[in-house]
Amino acid sequence: MALAVAKEDSTLMKLESACADLKKILKASAKMEDKLGKIDKNFDTIEETISAASRSIAPLHSLAMTTKALETRINRAVSPALALVDSFKLAESLQHRLLQLSSRASSLRDSQKRLKLLLKYVDCVDQLNATLNTINQDGEPVIHKLQEVVEFLSRTKATDQFRTHRLRETLVTLKALYETEVDAMRFEGLLDQALLNLQDEFEGILLQARHQNINELSEDKEADQMVPSDLASELEIQVLSRISETLAANDCLDICIDIFVKVRYRRAAKALMQLNPDYLKTYTPEQIDEMEWESLETAITLWIQHLELAVKTVIVSEKRLSIQVLGGIMDGVIWQECFAKIADKLMAVFFRFGEGVARSSKEPQKLFKLLDMFDSLEKLKIQFTEIFEGEAGADICTRFRELEKLLVHASSGVFWEFGLQIEGNADGLPPPKDGSVPKLVRYAINYLKYLATETYSVSMAKVLRTEQIWKAGILSKPETHENLLKEAISNIMEALQRNIESKRSYYKDRVMPHVFSMNTYWYIYMRTRNTELGKLIGEQDMKEKYKVVAEESAYMYQTQAWGPLVGLLDMEEKANDAGVAVIRGKMEAFLKGFDEISQRHRRFYNIPDVDLREQIREATVKFLIPAYTEFLTSNSTLVQAKSYVSPESIEGLLGQIFDGADRKLKRRDSKDPKTGGGILASVEGEGETKDF
């Protein structure tokens, strides 16, 4: 019971304690509510204060924003204006520097130092030009913006009158400076003078770029020795390149081109003038025809040498200089045009001479010089095309090809004209009276021999093949070079043979045609044997066409000239008084005929070839002496010893006849020396000798 009472008392105490705490909390809450009420009132007061302050500050904020916008607008106009003023200051400073550099350059004598100073001068000109371009480009927009600001400030009264007035004065001054000074600085001031100075320096340095002594190169026959020279040092090239770029950037490109072309052509022409090419003054076909052949031949030889020298040294050097100096302008277009102008003037002089020669009269002796000219162009063709590649060099390459075409037509024309002259007996002369080889034959054979040599056969064959392609078309299949040349020369040889046969009919003497034919055909065969001409036509063909004919002519000569004398000795007579008279008559007729034929040999018949004459002498001895000896032996009882000429004397007289001596027939007791025996086989039925 007591325990229960104790528990109740404890619970009651806890409840009383909790009740006391609740009362405290309620009191605190009441105080807090009072404080919150006071805070609420304070917030309302603050809100009212802030609202009032905001209403007071709003005009000031609007004014600040307006001021900020005005400041930005003014700065956008004034900042470029200040930069423009700085550009004017920089331009003035650069002009003073130009004057200083110009003064220093005029007093310098050392070329290297002067060139380095010129680089600084060019840099200063470039800077001045860039500055003036900036002023010219930015001036109007800057002044326009500044004018808008001044008008705005004047209209809105956004700032005080003092500041607006100062800004307006600045505008007027800047506008006047821009309108009056910029053009003057660009076209009448120091920049213009500096550009004139650079033009003079450009010309002066170009004039100093000289070619090496071209006479020394002309003495070197080897093409490998013809090496182009460097016309200027690296520093000079650098200065020239910078000056050309500066002139081009300042609207002086035309002047730069004119100076370069004029000076470099003058220098290149002066270098070539060291060769003394006076022959180039004669270039029309009419003038060429009036020249003596020796002079023309020398002129063509010089033309070939000088053309090669000009292309491989002078032209290449000028091209290299053009690239180095003008290569940086307009992506390389300018240097090609300038180089083409220089080269065109130089090459035109060579072209017109070559064209004049090609168009001149078609005389046979010109063929070899025309082939020399054609061959020289063929050797230069690849390098020439490389030098004048591109559109700028197209005209020069075209003229080069036209000259080559003219030379092809001229060479083939001269060759065919030569054949026509032979065919038509164009020498206008009868055959030689003594039966010797005509000048036309000698000339033609030597002509063709020279043409068949390695020096000219390749060029002539190429000319013939080129002409055949032009006539038949590119798609045709022309013959090989060797066949074309063989056929062409064979045609000339056949024409020559027809010419010889036609001249045989001029002779009235029955022996002379055979002497003429023998001499001529033997000459042709011997002069072509074991030569390029003989190999080209064929040794067997040469034997069949010329050696065999010469042999037949020799046989006919012997038959016609000496056969009648041998015929007198063939008859046999009886040993009686009538027979003695006949024998003596034959002897007298033989000696008389021998004397007549001897006189004709001395006066008319001529065998100029020593070997041929010796062979004919020996063949005649073997043809005549045995028959004469046999006649004397058979009729020794019918003739007296002193009434006839001994065989030895006859043989000696034959030697004298063929040696050209003038001796009389003597009797048997004559002591004339014997003139040597023959070593050739006798001329028998077919008229052949060992060599024939």
Side-chain angles (χ1 to χ4, degrees):
M1 184 74 173
L3 182 58
V5 172
K7 287 182 178 180
E8 289 178 357
D9 291 338
S10 174
T11 303
L12 184 61
M13 289 176 67
K14 290 179 180 180
L15 291 172
E16 289 178 351
S17 175
C19 182
D21 291 335
L22 288 172
K23 289 179 178 180
K24 290 179 181 179
I25 290 171
L26 291 173
K27 289 179 179 179
S29 297
K31 291 179 180 180
M32 181 65 68
E33 185 177 0
D34 292 339
K35 289 180 180 180
L36 287 175
K38 292 178 181 180
I39 291 172
D40 188 43
K41 290 179 180 179
N42 290 336
F43 273 123
D44 291 339
T45 302
I46 291 171
E47 184 178 2
E48 291 177 358
T49 303
I50 290 174
S51 297
S54 176
R55 287 191 296 269
S56 301
I57 292 174
L60 295 177
H61 179 71
S62 177
L63 181 62
M65 293 295 292
T66 302
T67 303
K68 183 65 176 177
L70 181 62
E71 180 184 4
T72 302
R73 187 168 185 174
I74 292 174
N75 286 339
R76 286 177 181 175
V78 172
S79 295
L82 292 176
L84 185 62
V85 172
D86 290 338
S87 297
F88 276 109
K89 291 180 180 179
L90 178 60
E92 184 179 5
S93 173
L94 290 171
Q95 291 182 72
H96 286 301
R97 180 166 173 75
L98 280 177
L99 291 174
Q100 294 174 357
L101 291 173
S102 178
S103 177
R104 288 175 57 190
S106 61
S107 61
L108 277 177
R109 294 291 178 265
D110 188 295
S111 60
Q112 295 296 314
K113 292 181 179 180
R114 194 170 187 280
L115 289 172
K116 292 178 181 178
L117 191 63
L118 275 176
L119 286 176
K120 296 181 180 179
Y121 189 83
V122 174
D123 287 335
C124 190
V125 172
D126 290 340
Q127 293 176 21
L128 178 58
N129 180 54
T131 302
L132 293 180
N133 285 337
T134 301
I135 294 173
N136 186 60
Q137 181 179 358
D138 299 341
E140 287 188 7
V142 167
I143 292 173
H144 181 69
K145 289 181 180 179
L146 190 59
Q147 186 173 1
E148 287 181 346
V149 170
V150 170
E151 291 176 353
F152 174 77
L153 293 176
S154 300
R155 185 176 63 252
T156 60
K157 309 295 184 181
T159 185
D160 58 88
Q161 294 180 357
F162 176 72
R163 292 181 179 179
T164 304
H165 178 69
R166 288 184 59 188
L167 199 57
R168 183 179 290 109
E169 287 183 345
T170 303
L171 171 63
V172 172
T173 302
L174 193 60
K175 187 175 182 180
L177 184 63
Y178 174 77
E179 291 177 349
T180 58
E181 293 296 327
V182 173
D183 288 343
M185 285 190 293
R186 285 181 61 84
F187 305 113
E188 299 176 3
L190 287 176
L191 178 61
D192 185 65
Q193 185 60 44
L195 293 175
L196 292 176
N197 292 339
L198 288 181
Q199 293 171 21
D200 293 338
E201 294 292 344
F202 189 66
E203 183 174 359
I205 299 174
L206 286 175
L207 282 171
Q208 294 175 6
R210 295 182 175 88
H211 291 270
Q212 58 184 318
N213 189 348
I214 204 167
N215 274 323
E216 295 179 358
L217 291 176
S218 65
E219 295 173 358
D220 295 329
K221 302 301 182 183
E222 297 294 334
D224 296 339
Q225 306 269 333
M226 299 181 183
V227 180
S229 59
D230 292 325
L231 301 180
S233 64
E234 293 184 4
L235 185 56
E236 288 173 331
I237 294 297
Q238 185 180 1
V239 173
L240 288 170
S241 178
R242 288 293 307 278
I243 291 177
S244 66
E245 293 173 359
T246 299
L247 292 176
N250 286 274
D251 298 327
C252 296
L253 181 58
D254 291 341
I255 299 175
C256 176
I257 292 174
D258 289 341
I259 293 174
F260 187 87
V261 173
K262 178 186 70 175
V263 173
R264 291 320 309 162
Y265 169 70
R266 188 188 308 166
R267 275 299 173 202
K270 190 172 183 179
L272 293 176
M273 286 301 293
Q274 297 176 13
L275 301 172
N276 298 320
D278 293 336
Y279 63 91
L280 293 176
K281 297 178 182 178
T282 304
Y283 56 87
T284 65
E286 295 76 18
Q287 291 174 327
I288 297 293
D289 289 336
E290 292 175 359
M291 292 179 67
E292 295 183 359
W293 169 242
E294 291 76 10
S295 300
L296 179 58
E297 188 177 23
T298 303
I300 294 175
T301 302
L302 291 175
W303 181 86
I304 293 171
Q305 297 174 0
H306 294 172
L307 176 63
E308 182 180 14
L309 194 64
V311 171
K312 292 186 175 181
T313 59
V314 177
I315 298 296
V316 173
S317 297
E318 290 297 333
K319 179 181 180 180
R320 182 182 299 172
L321 184 65
S322 299
I323 296 173
Q324 293 170 336
V325 175
L326 305 174
I329 304 175
M330 295 180 63
D331 298 328
V333 174
I334 298 301
W335 79 260
Q336 296 183 30
E337 294 182 358
C338 292
F339 170 66
K341 290 179 180 179
I342 297 168
D344 184 62
K345 292 182 179 180
L346 295 174
M347 297 305 300
V349 182
F350 289 99
F351 284 149
R352 70 183 186 183
F353 177 83
E355 291 164 358
V357 173
R359 290 191 173 102
S360 62
S361 61
K362 295 177 176 59
E363 299 175 1
Q365 67 269 22
K366 289 182 181 178
L367 175 61
F368 301 103
K369 303 313 294 182
L370 288 170
L371 291 176
D372 287 339
M373 295 171 70
F374 173 76
D375 187 57
S376 68
L377 294 186
E378 282 291 296
K379 292 178 180 178
L380 284 176
K381 183 184 292 185
I382 296 177
Q383 187 174 5
F384 197 91
T385 305
E386 292 175 353
I387 293 173
F388 296 103
E389 61 182 352
E391 185 178 354
D395 291 340
I396 300 178
C397 290
T398 299
R399 194 163 181 186
F400 181 90
R401 290 191 295 270
E402 289 300 323
L403 175 57
E404 198 169 25
K405 289 180 181 178
L406 284 175
L407 290 174
V408 168
H409 289 307
S411 300
S412 60
V414 169
F415 182 76
W416 298 125
E417 182 68 21
F418 179 60
L420 292 175
Q421 290 178 1
I422 294 176
E423 185 76 43
N425 199 16
D427 60 342
L429 298 175
K433 294 181 179 180
D434 59 358
S436 58
V437 182
K439 291 182 179 180
L440 176 63
V441 174
R442 296 177 183 273
Y443 182 84
I445 293 302
N446 290 323
Y447 190 90
L448 296 177
K449 279 177 62 180
Y450 201 42
L451 184 62
T453 59
E454 185 178 357
T455 306
Y456 293 105
S457 59
V458 176
S459 299
M460 189 69 236
K462 187 177 293 185
V463 164
L464 295 173
R465 189 172 190 272
T466 302
E467 188 183 42
Q468 187 184 55
I469 291 175
W470 288 346
K471 291 181 178 179
I474 300 177
L475 299 179
S476 62
K477 295 182 179 180
E479 298 183 22
T480 61
H481 289 184
E482 184 177 353
N483 289 340
L484 279 173
L485 186 61
K486 177 181 179 180
E487 182 180 355
I489 292 182
S490 296
N491 290 336
I492 300 292
M493 294 291 289
E494 291 173 3
L496 185 63
Q497 190 170 7
R498 289 191 291 270
N499 181 285
I500 295 169
E501 293 301 319
S502 68
K503 287 187 176 182
R504 292 185 59 177
S505 61
Y506 280 80
Y507 294 110
K508 304 303 180 183
D509 185 278
R510 59 188 177 85
V511 177
M512 188 63 77
H514 307 300
V515 175
F516 169 74
S517 180
M518 174 183 64
N519 282 330
T520 305
Y521 286 115
W522 185 253
Y523 175 87
I524 293 174
Y525 174 71
M526 293 302 294
R527 292 300 182 275
T528 57
R529 186 179 62 172
N530 299 327
T531 65
E532 288 88 347
L533 177 59
K535 294 176 183 177
L536 180 65
I537 297 177
E539 296 289 352
Q540 187 61 35
D541 289 343
M542 294 301 296
K543 288 181 180 180
E544 293 176 357
K545 291 181 179 179
Y546 303 104
K547 184 181 179 183
V548 171
V549 177
E551 292 172 350
E552 292 174 351
S553 299
Y555 174 73
M556 292 304 298
Y557 153 77
Q558 185 169 275
T559 302
Q560 294 293 332
W562 304 102
L565 294 181
V566 175
L568 288 173
L569 305 176
D570 287 343
M571 296 182 175
E572 296 182 0
E573 299 296 337
K574 297 181 180 180
N576 52 33
D577 293 341
V580 172
V582 172
I583 293 300
R584 289 181 178 178
K586 287 185 177 183
M587 181 62 70
E588 293 296 331
F590 176 84
L591 295 177
K592 182 179 179 181
F594 187 90
D595 187 61
E596 289 178 357
I597 194 67
S598 300
Q599 294 298 323
R600 297 195 66 82
H601 273 81
R602 293 188 180 98
R603 294 179 182 178
F604 304 111
Y605 305 156
N606 181 24
I607 305 175
D609 186 274
V610 177
D611 293 336
L612 177 61
R613 187 169 64 246
E614 180 62 22
Q615 292 184 61
I616 294 298
R617 184 193 68 79
E618 293 183 1
T620 303
V621 167
K622 293 180 179 180
F623 178 66
L624 185 61
I625 297 303
Y628 182 70
T629 302
E630 183 181 357
F631 176 80
L632 291 180
T633 303
S634 301
N635 300 284
S636 59
T637 57
L638 302 178
V639 295
Q640 298 179 2
K642 293 184 179 182
S643 63
Y644 63 90
V645 181
S646 66
E648 291 79 7
S649 297
I650 294 294
E651 185 175 351
L653 289 171
L654 286 174
Q656 294 169 14
I657 290 171
F658 288 103
D659 288 341
D662 188 7
R663 297 290 298 273
K664 297 281 188 178
L665 284 172
K666 295 184 179 180
R667 297 301 179 181
R668 185 175 178 80
D669 55 355
S670 169
K671 296 182 180 180
D672 289 340
K674 189 175 181 180
T675 57
I679 59 173
L680 305 180
S682 64
V683 178
E684 297 177 351
E686 296 179 354
E688 295 182 351
T689 66
K690 183 178 181 181
D691 282 354
F692 267 123

Short mmCIF file of all heavy atoms in Angstrom, two decimals, residues 450-478:
data_model
loop_
_atom_site.label_atom_id
_atom_site.label_comp_id
_atom_site.label_asym_id
_atom_site.label_seq_id
_atom_site.Cartn_x
_atom_site.Cartn_y
_atom_site.Cartn_z
N TYR A 450 80.64 13.77 -150.03
CA TYR A 450 80.61 14.60 -148.83
C TYR A 450 79.26 14.47 -148.13
O TYR A 450 79.18 14.43 -146.90
CB TYR A 450 80.88 16.05 -149.21
CG TYR A 450 81.35 16.91 -148.07
CD1 TYR A 450 82.28 16.45 -147.15
CD2 TYR A 450 80.86 18.20 -147.92
CE1 TYR A 450 82.71 17.24 -146.11
CE2 TYR A 450 81.28 19.01 -146.89
CZ TYR A 450 82.21 18.53 -145.99
OH TYR A 450 82.63 19.32 -144.95
N LEU A 451 78.20 14.37 -148.92
CA LEU A 451 76.86 14.24 -148.36
C LEU A 451 76.68 12.90 -147.66
O LEU A 451 75.93 12.80 -146.68
CB LEU A 451 75.82 14.41 -149.47
CG LEU A 451 74.36 14.40 -149.04
CD1 LEU A 451 74.06 15.55 -148.09
CD2 LEU A 451 73.45 14.48 -150.25
N ALA A 452 77.36 11.87 -148.15
CA ALA A 452 77.21 10.53 -147.59
C ALA A 452 78.05 10.30 -146.35
O ALA A 452 77.93 9.25 -145.71
CB ALA A 452 77.56 9.48 -148.64
N THR A 453 78.90 11.26 -146.00
CA THR A 453 79.71 11.10 -144.80
C THR A 453 78.83 11.15 -143.55
O THR A 453 77.69 11.62 -143.59
CB THR A 453 80.78 12.20 -144.71
OG1 THR A 453 80.14 13.49 -144.69
CG2 THR A 453 81.74 12.12 -145.88
N GLU A 454 79.38 10.68 -142.46
CA GLU A 454 78.62 10.65 -141.20
C GLU A 454 78.21 12.05 -140.77
O GLU A 454 77.17 12.23 -140.13
CB GLU A 454 79.48 9.99 -140.12
CG GLU A 454 78.76 9.80 -138.80
CD GLU A 454 79.63 9.10 -137.78
OE1 GLU A 454 80.77 8.73 -138.14
OE2 GLU A 454 79.19 8.94 -136.64
N THR A 455 78.99 13.04 -141.17
CA THR A 455 78.69 14.42 -140.76
C THR A 455 77.36 14.89 -141.30
O THR A 455 76.61 15.59 -140.60
CB THR A 455 79.81 15.35 -141.26
OG1 THR A 455 81.08 14.87 -140.79
CG2 THR A 455 79.59 16.77 -140.76
N TYR A 456 77.03 14.50 -142.54
CA TYR A 456 75.83 15.04 -143.18
C TYR A 456 74.77 14.00 -143.52
O TYR A 456 73.63 14.37 -143.78
CB TYR A 456 76.22 15.79 -144.46
CG TYR A 456 77.02 17.02 -144.19
CD1 TYR A 456 78.40 17.06 -144.42
CD2 TYR A 456 76.41 18.16 -143.68
CE1 TYR A 456 79.13 18.20 -144.14
CE2 TYR A 456 77.14 19.31 -143.41
CZ TYR A 456 78.51 19.32 -143.64
OH TYR A 456 79.23 20.45 -143.37
N SER A 457 75.12 12.73 -143.55
CA SER A 457 74.15 11.72 -143.97
C SER A 457 72.96 11.65 -143.01
O SER A 457 71.80 11.52 -143.44
CB SER A 457 74.82 10.35 -144.07
OG SER A 457 75.38 9.97 -142.81
N VAL A 458 73.24 11.75 -141.72
CA VAL A 458 72.15 11.67 -140.73
C VAL A 458 71.20 12.85 -140.87
O VAL A 458 69.98 12.70 -140.89
CB VAL A 458 72.73 11.60 -139.30
CG1 VAL A 458 71.61 11.62 -138.27
CG2 VAL A 458 73.59 10.36 -139.13
N SER A 459 71.78 14.05 -140.99
CA SER A 459 70.95 15.25 -141.11
C SER A 459 70.14 15.23 -142.41
O SER A 459 68.95 15.57 -142.42
CB SER A 459 71.82 16.51 -141.07
OG SER A 459 72.51 16.60 -139.84
N MET A 460 70.79 14.81 -143.52
CA MET A 460 70.09 14.78 -144.80
C MET A 460 68.96 13.76 -144.77
O MET A 460 67.85 14.02 -145.27
CB MET A 460 71.08 14.43 -145.92
CG MET A 460 70.50 14.57 -147.32
SD MET A 460 70.18 16.28 -147.78
CE MET A 460 68.45 16.24 -148.21
N ALA A 461 69.22 12.61 -144.18
CA ALA A 461 68.17 11.59 -144.08
C ALA A 461 67.02 12.08 -143.22
O ALA A 461 65.85 11.84 -143.53
CB ALA A 461 68.76 10.30 -143.50
N LYS A 462 67.33 12.78 -142.13
CA LYS A 462 66.27 13.31 -141.27
C LYS A 462 65.44 14.35 -142.01
O LYS A 462 64.21 14.41 -141.86
CB LYS A 462 66.89 13.91 -140.01
CG LYS A 462 65.87 14.34 -138.97
CD LYS A 462 66.55 14.87 -137.71
CE LYS A 462 67.29 13.77 -136.99
NZ LYS A 462 67.85 14.26 -135.70
N VAL A 463 66.10 15.17 -142.81
CA VAL A 463 65.38 16.17 -143.61
C VAL A 463 64.44 15.48 -144.59
O VAL A 463 63.26 15.85 -144.71
CB VAL A 463 66.38 17.07 -144.37
CG1 VAL A 463 65.69 17.84 -145.49
CG2 VAL A 463 67.05 18.04 -143.41
N LEU A 464 64.93 14.46 -145.29
CA LEU A 464 64.10 13.75 -146.26
C LEU A 464 62.93 13.05 -145.59
O LEU A 464 61.80 13.05 -146.09
CB LEU A 464 64.95 12.73 -147.02
CG LEU A 464 66.05 13.31 -147.92
CD1 LEU A 464 66.93 12.20 -148.47
CD2 LEU A 464 65.46 14.14 -149.05
N ARG A 465 63.19 12.46 -144.43
CA ARG A 465 62.13 11.74 -143.72
C ARG A 465 61.08 12.73 -143.19
O ARG A 465 59.88 12.48 -143.27
CB ARG A 465 62.72 10.95 -142.56
CG ARG A 465 61.73 10.00 -141.90
CD ARG A 465 62.45 9.12 -140.89
NE ARG A 465 61.58 8.06 -140.42
CZ ARG A 465 60.76 8.17 -139.38
NH1 ARG A 465 60.71 9.31 -138.72
NH2 ARG A 465 60.01 7.15 -139.00
N THR A 466 61.54 13.86 -142.68
CA THR A 466 60.61 14.88 -142.18
C THR A 466 59.73 15.40 -143.29
O THR A 466 58.50 15.54 -143.13
CB THR A 466 61.39 16.05 -141.55
OG1 THR A 466 62.23 15.56 -140.50
CG2 THR A 466 60.45 17.10 -140.99
N GLU A 467 60.33 15.66 -144.43
CA GLU A 467 59.55 16.16 -145.56
C GLU A 467 58.56 15.11 -146.04
O GLU A 467 57.42 15.44 -146.40
CB GLU A 467 60.49 16.56 -146.71
CG GLU A 467 59.75 17.26 -147.85
CD GLU A 467 60.69 17.59 -149.00
OE1 GLU A 467 61.51 16.73 -149.34
OE2 GLU A 467 60.57 18.69 -149.55
N GLN A 468 58.97 13.86 -146.04
CA GLN A 468 58.06 12.80 -146.47
C GLN A 468 56.87 12.69 -145.52
O GLN A 468 55.73 12.50 -145.96
CB GLN A 468 58.81 11.47 -146.53
CG GLN A 468 57.98 10.34 -147.13
CD GLN A 468 58.72 9.02 -147.10
OE1 GLN A 468 59.16 8.59 -146.04
NE2 GLN A 468 58.85 8.38 -148.25
N ILE A 469 57.12 12.83 -144.22
CA ILE A 469 56.03 12.77 -143.24
C ILE A 469 55.07 13.93 -143.45
O ILE A 469 53.85 13.77 -143.38
CB ILE A 469 56.61 12.78 -141.80
CG1 ILE A 469 57.35 11.47 -141.52
CG2 ILE A 469 55.50 13.00 -140.78
CD1 ILE A 469 58.05 11.44 -140.18
N TRP A 470 55.61 15.12 -143.70
CA TRP A 470 54.76 16.28 -143.93
C TRP A 470 53.87 16.08 -145.16
O TRP A 470 52.71 16.50 -145.16
CB TRP A 470 55.61 17.53 -144.10
CG TRP A 470 56.24 18.00 -142.82
CD1 TRP A 470 55.93 17.60 -141.56
CD2 TRP A 470 57.31 18.94 -142.69
NE1 TRP A 470 56.73 18.23 -140.65
CE2 TRP A 470 57.58 19.06 -141.30
CE3 TRP A 470 58.05 19.69 -143.58
CZ2 TRP A 470 58.57 19.91 -140.81
CZ3 TRP A 470 59.03 20.54 -143.10
CH2 TRP A 470 59.30 20.65 -141.73
N LYS A 471 54.42 15.47 -146.17
CA LYS A 471 53.65 15.27 -147.39
C LYS A 471 52.64 14.14 -147.26
O LYS A 471 51.51 14.25 -147.73
CB LYS A 471 54.59 14.99 -148.56
CG LYS A 471 55.42 16.19 -148.98
CD LYS A 471 56.32 15.84 -150.16
CE LYS A 471 57.13 17.05 -150.62
NZ LYS A 471 58.02 16.72 -151.76
N ALA A 472 53.06 13.04 -146.62
CA ALA A 472 52.19 11.86 -146.54
C ALA A 472 51.29 11.87 -145.32
O ALA A 472 50.29 11.17 -145.29
CB ALA A 472 53.04 10.59 -146.54
N GLY A 473 51.64 12.66 -144.30
CA GLY A 473 50.85 12.70 -143.08
C GLY A 473 51.53 11.97 -141.95
O GLY A 473 52.38 11.09 -142.15
N ILE A 474 51.16 12.34 -140.73
CA ILE A 474 51.80 11.76 -139.54
C ILE A 474 51.53 10.27 -139.42
O ILE A 474 52.35 9.50 -138.93
CB ILE A 474 51.31 12.50 -138.27
CG1 ILE A 474 51.67 13.99 -138.36
CG2 ILE A 474 51.90 11.89 -137.01
CD1 ILE A 474 51.16 14.80 -137.20
N LEU A 475 50.34 9.83 -139.86
CA LEU A 475 49.97 8.43 -139.70
C LEU A 475 50.64 7.52 -140.73
O LEU A 475 50.50 6.30 -140.66
CB LEU A 475 48.45 8.28 -139.81
CG LEU A 475 47.64 9.04 -138.74
CD1 LEU A 475 46.15 8.84 -138.97
CD2 LEU A 475 48.03 8.58 -137.34
N SER A 476 51.35 8.10 -141.69
CA SER A 476 52.02 7.28 -142.71
C SER A 476 53.23 6.57 -142.11
O SER A 476 53.70 6.91 -141.03
CB SER A 476 52.46 8.17 -143.87
OG SER A 476 53.40 9.13 -143.43
N LYS A 477 53.72 5.59 -142.83
CA LYS A 477 54.89 4.83 -142.39
C LYS A 477 56.04 5.10 -143.35
O LYS A 477 56.22 4.38 -144.34
CB LYS A 477 54.57 3.34 -142.34
CG LYS A 477 53.52 2.97 -141.31
CD LYS A 477 53.28 1.47 -141.27
CE LYS A 477 52.24 1.11 -140.22
NZ LYS A 477 52.00 -0.36 -140.18
N PRO A 478 56.82 6.13 -143.07
CA PRO A 478 57.93 6.45 -143.97
C PRO A 478 59.03 5.40 -143.89
O PRO A 478 59.13 4.63 -142.92
CB PRO A 478 58.42 7.81 -143.45
CG PRO A 478 58.03 7.81 -142.01
CD PRO A 478 56.75 7.04 -141.92
#
